[in-house]
Coordinates of all heavy atoms in Angstrom, one line a residue:
L633 N 10.5 -11.7 9.6 CA 9.6 -11.3 10.6 C 10.0 -12.0 11.9 O 9.9 -11.4 13.0 CB 8.1 -11.7 10.2 CG 7.5 -10.8 9.2 CD1 6.2 -11.4 8.6 CD2 7.3 -9.4 9.7
A634 N 10.3 -13.3 11.9 CA 10.7 -14.1 13.1 C 12.0 -13.4 13.7 O 12.1 -13.3 14.9 CB 11.0 -15.5 12.7
L635 N 12.9 -13.1 12.8 CA 14.2 -12.4 13.3 C 13.9 -11.1 13.9 O 14.4 -10.7 15.0 CB 15.2 -12.3 12.2 CG 15.8 -13.6 11.6 CD1 16.6 -13.3 10.4 CD2 16.6 -14.3 12.7
D636 N 13.0 -10.3 13.3 CA 12.6 -9.0 13.9 C 11.9 -9.1 15.2 O 12.0 -8.3 16.1 CB 11.7 -8.2 12.9 CG 12.5 -7.8 11.6 OD1 13.7 -7.8 11.6 OD2 11.8 -7.4 10.6
F637 N 11.0 -10.2 15.3 CA 10.3 -10.5 16.5 C 11.3 -10.8 17.6 O 11.2 -10.2 18.8 CB 9.3 -11.6 16.3 CG 8.3 -11.8 17.4 CD1 7.1 -11.1 17.3 CD2 8.5 -12.6 18.4 CE1 6.1 -11.3 18.2 CE2 7.5 -12.8 19.4 CZ 6.3 -12.1 19.3
A638 N 12.3 -11.6 17.3 CA 13.3 -11.9 18.3 C 14.1 -10.7 18.7 O 14.4 -10.5 19.9 CB 14.3 -13.0 17.8
E639 N 14.4 -9.9 17.8 CA 15.2 -8.6 18.1 C 14.4 -7.7 19.0 O 14.9 -7.1 19.9 CB 15.5 -7.9 16.8 CG 16.3 -6.7 16.9 CD 17.7 -6.9 17.5 OE1 18.3 -8.0 17.3 OE2 18.2 -6.0 18.3
A640 N 13.1 -7.6 18.7 CA 12.2 -6.8 19.6 C 12.1 -7.3 21.0 O 12.0 -6.5 21.9 CB 10.8 -6.7 19.0
L641 N 12.3 -8.6 21.2 CA 12.2 -9.2 22.5 C 13.6 -9.0 23.3 O 13.6 -9.3 24.5 CB 11.9 -10.7 22.4 CG 10.4 -10.9 22.2 CD1 10.2 -12.4 22.1 CD2 9.6 -10.4 23.4
R642 N 14.6 -8.6 22.6 CA 15.9 -8.5 23.3 C 16.0 -7.4 24.3 O 16.8 -7.4 25.2 CB 17.0 -8.4 22.2 CG 17.3 -9.7 21.5 CD 18.6 -9.6 20.8 NE 18.9 -10.9 20.2 CZ 18.7 -11.2 19.0 NH1 18.2 -10.3 18.1 NH2 18.9 -12.4 18.5
S643 N 15.1 -6.4 24.2 CA 15.1 -5.3 25.1 C 14.6 -5.8 26.5 O 13.9 -6.8 26.6 CB 14.1 -4.2 24.6 OG 14.4 -3.8 23.3
N644 N 14.9 -5.0 27.5 CA 14.3 -5.4 28.8 C 12.8 -5.1 28.8 O 12.3 -4.3 27.9 CB 15.1 -4.7 30.0 CG 15.0 -3.2 29.9 OD1 14.2 -2.6 29.2 ND2 15.8 -2.5 30.7
D645 N 12.1 -5.6 29.8 CA 10.7 -5.5 29.8 C 10.1 -4.1 29.7 O 9.1 -3.8 29.0 CB 10.1 -6.2 31.0 CG 10.2 -7.7 31.0 OD1 10.5 -8.2 29.9 OD2 10.0 -8.3 32.0
A646 N 10.8 -3.1 30.3 CA 10.3 -1.7 30.3 C 10.4 -1.1 28.9 O 9.7 -0.2 28.6 CB 11.1 -0.9 31.3
K647 N 11.3 -1.6 28.0 CA 11.5 -1.0 26.7 C 11.0 -1.8 25.6 O 11.2 -1.4 24.4 CB 13.0 -0.8 26.5 CG 13.6 0.2 27.5 CD 15.0 0.5 27.2 CE 15.5 1.6 28.2 NZ 16.9 1.9 28.0
V648 N 10.3 -2.9 25.8 CA 9.8 -3.7 24.7 C 8.7 -2.9 24.0 O 7.8 -2.4 24.7 CB 9.2 -5.1 25.2 CG1 8.4 -5.8 24.2 CG2 10.4 -5.9 25.7
N649 N 8.7 -2.9 22.7 CA 7.7 -2.2 21.9 C 6.5 -3.1 21.7 O 6.6 -3.9 20.7 CB 8.3 -1.6 20.6 CG 7.4 -0.8 19.9 OD1 6.2 -0.8 20.1 ND2 7.9 0.0 18.9
A650 N 5.5 -3.1 22.5 CA 4.4 -4.0 22.4 C 3.6 -3.8 21.0 O 3.2 -4.8 20.4 CB 3.4 -3.8 23.5
A651 N 3.5 -2.6 20.6 CA 2.8 -2.4 19.3 C 3.6 -3.0 18.1 O 3.0 -3.6 17.2 CB 2.7 -0.8 19.1
L652 N 4.9 -2.9 18.2 CA 5.7 -3.6 17.1 C 5.5 -5.1 17.2 O 5.4 -5.7 16.1 CB 7.2 -3.2 17.3 CG 8.2 -3.9 16.4 CD1 7.9 -3.5 14.9 CD2 9.6 -3.5 16.7
L653 N 5.6 -5.7 18.4 CA 5.3 -7.1 18.5 C 4.0 -7.5 17.9 O 3.9 -8.5 17.2 CB 5.4 -7.6 20.0 CG 6.8 -7.6 20.6 CD1 6.7 -8.0 22.1 CD2 7.7 -8.5 19.9
N654 N 3.0 -6.7 18.2 CA 1.6 -7.0 17.7 C 1.6 -6.9 16.2 O 1.0 -7.8 15.5 CB 0.6 -6.1 18.3 CG 0.3 -6.3 19.7 OD1 0.4 -7.5 20.2 ND2 0.0 -5.3 20.5
A655 N 2.2 -5.9 15.6 CA 2.3 -5.8 14.2 C 3.0 -6.9 13.5 O 2.6 -7.5 12.5 CB 2.9 -4.4 13.8
L656 N 4.2 -7.3 14.1 CA 5.0 -8.4 13.5 C 4.2 -9.7 13.6 O 4.2 -10.5 12.6 CB 6.3 -8.5 14.3 CG 7.3 -7.4 14.1 CD1 8.5 -7.5 15.0 CD2 7.8 -7.4 12.6

C-alpha cells in the first residue's frame, strides 16, 4: 500500500488520482 501510494503521487498534480489516494 505504501509503494502504491508513492506510485500514485508520482503523477503531476493535474493527473493525481485523489480517489485512489483516499482508498489507499
Side-chain angles (χ1 to χ4, degrees):
L633 288 167
L635 293 173
D636 291 347
F637 196 88
E639 182 64 32
L641 282 177
R642 285 197 178 100
S643 304
N644 63 11
D645 289 346
K647 294 185 179 183
V648 170
N649 186 343
L652 176 61
L653 288 179
N654 289 330
L656 292 170

